[in-house]
Every structure is written in C-alpha cells, then in structure tokens.
Amino acid sequence: MRSILPMRLAKTGSIILSLLICVLGLYLVLNPDFSPGVLGNYAGAAMIVFGAVKIVGYLSKDLYRLAFQYDLAFGLLMITVGIMVIAEPGSVIDSLCVAIGISAIMDGFLKVQISIDSRIFGIKMWWLILISAIVAVAVGIMLLFRTAESTRVLMMFLGFSLLAQGISNLLTTLLTVKIIKHQYPDIIGADFE
C-alpha cells in the first residue's frame, strides 16, 4: 500500500494556503492603504510556500489526479515569481500586479481544464470550479491591464485577484482531491502467464 501522508499534506496545505490567500485578498480590498513593500515580502514568501505545496501535491498522486495534475510546472513558476518579487523591492506594486495577474490567468486557465476533466470524470459540482476559474482569469486580466494608477485602486485589484484565486484553489482542492486509506501503488506493467 502507498502512504497517504503526502496526499494529506498536499490537501491540507492547499486548503490552508487557499484560505490565507482569501484572507489576504479580503484584507487588501477592505484596507487598500497597506504598505506595498511589506505586501511584496509577504506575497513573495507566500508564493514560494504555495509553489512548494503545489509541487508536493503533484508528487502525492491523489486518487483522482485532477487538482494537482499541472502543479509541478505551476509550483516552479510560483517559486520563481516569488523569488523575483522579493528580490525586486523597488517597483513592488508593478511587479506584484504583473506576477499575480499572470499567475491568476495561468491558474485560471488550468482550472478551466480541470473543470472539464472533472465533468468527464463525473464530479457533479464541476461547474463551481469552472465559474471560479473564469472569475480568476477575468480579474487577472483586469489586473494586468489596469488603467488606474492609484496605489489604492491597484491594491484593491490585487485583493480581488488574490480572493478569486484563493476561492478557485479552495473549490478545486475540496471537490477533486480524494484520499482513500488503502490505495495501492500504480502498476506500470504487469506480468501475465
């Protein structure tokens, strides 16, 4: 039998980080005067941790293999972008807008594909993943093509984007990650007599 510990870690980590992203997003929407420099450090560190959890999720091989199927590449991207955001403190707000906008769009598109796969797989609430993914993509596009130059407005856009991504990740994890206690390892090939 295969250990379910990596799957539990990936699912629990994804749920906790998704909730924290939602809280940060909501905080930025309600308090857009938050210091961009401090936000850059928090967001960069969060991206690195979230990227690591995504990689663990990819390696965990959960039963359905829907939620974490693209997370190796996305986890590496998040770690790279997180390092870039921390390393570039001069233009934090612009870097954050671009980094979070691109990650929202990419993650949203991957979640659209996951929702389609979930529908084919038979998950009844696949449409929640689809709707949350479309919202995340739309907010990510708005963040990239922002017309307002006010820091307050940009912080609110960042907050909406983080909130949309957090909800999308939370729904995807809750609806598609299935852990069973007695899961056997995958069999690549078998000998028949």
Side-chain angles (χ1 to χ4, degrees):
M1 272 190 284
R2 178 187 321 186
S3 171
I4 60 171
L5 181 64
M7 290 177 271
R8 285 207 190 279
L9 286 173
K11 184 174 184 175
T12 304
S14 183
I15 289 170
I16 291 170
L17 285 172
S18 296
L19 289 172
L20 289 174
I21 288 170
C22 288
V23 168
L24 178 60
L26 191 59
Y27 182 79
L28 289 176
V29 168
L30 299 175
N31 185 17
D33 294 324
F34 194 72
S35 166
V38 173
L39 176 64
N41 289 332
Y42 284 147
M47 287 177 180
I48 292 169
V49 171
F50 198 64
V53 168
K54 292 277 193 186
I55 292 170
V56 170
Y58 175 79
L59 297 173
S60 72
K61 305 246 186 246
D62 67 296
L63 180 63
Y64 293 165
R65 290 192 176 101
L66 291 172
F68 303 129
Q69 65 183 324
Y70 306 110
D71 282 359
L72 178 62
F74 192 70
L76 292 171
L77 174 70
M78 291 300 290
I79 291 171
T80 304
V81 170
I83 291 169
M84 289 170 41
V85 167
I86 290 173
E88 186 63 40
S91 58
V92 168
I93 196 74
D94 287 334
S95 298
L96 273 178
C97 287
V98 171
I100 292 175
I102 288 172
S103 73
I105 293 168
M106 181 180 167
D107 192 43
F109 285 149
L110 293 174
K111 294 286 190 303
V112 167
Q113 188 169 351
I114 290 170
S115 72
I116 293 167
D117 293 343
S118 297
R119 180 175 172 253
I120 293 167
F121 199 80
I123 295 174
K124 292 179 178 153
M125 299 185 66
W126 64 271
W127 53 273
L128 281 174
I129 299 169
L130 179 64
I131 290 170
S132 68
I134 291 170
V135 169
V137 168
V139 175
I141 290 171
M142 288 181 357
L143 189 60
L144 278 181
F145 296 107
R146 63 200 183 274
T147 56
E149 292 302 321
S150 165
T151 303
R152 283 181 58 89
V153 173
L154 290 178
M155 291 297 248
M156 288 178 72
F157 271 135
L158 281 171
F160 283 127
S161 182
L162 289 171
L163 189 58
Q165 272 188 287
I167 291 170
S168 179
N169 286 328
L170 186 62
L171 286 171
T172 302
T173 302
L174 291 174
L175 294 173
T176 63
V177 177
K178 177 78 173 161
I179 299 173
I180 58 171
K181 291 183 182 179
H182 305 292
Q183 184 175 357
Y184 289 95
D186 295 333
I187 299 173
I188 303 297
D191 293 331
F192 296 103
E193 292 184 24

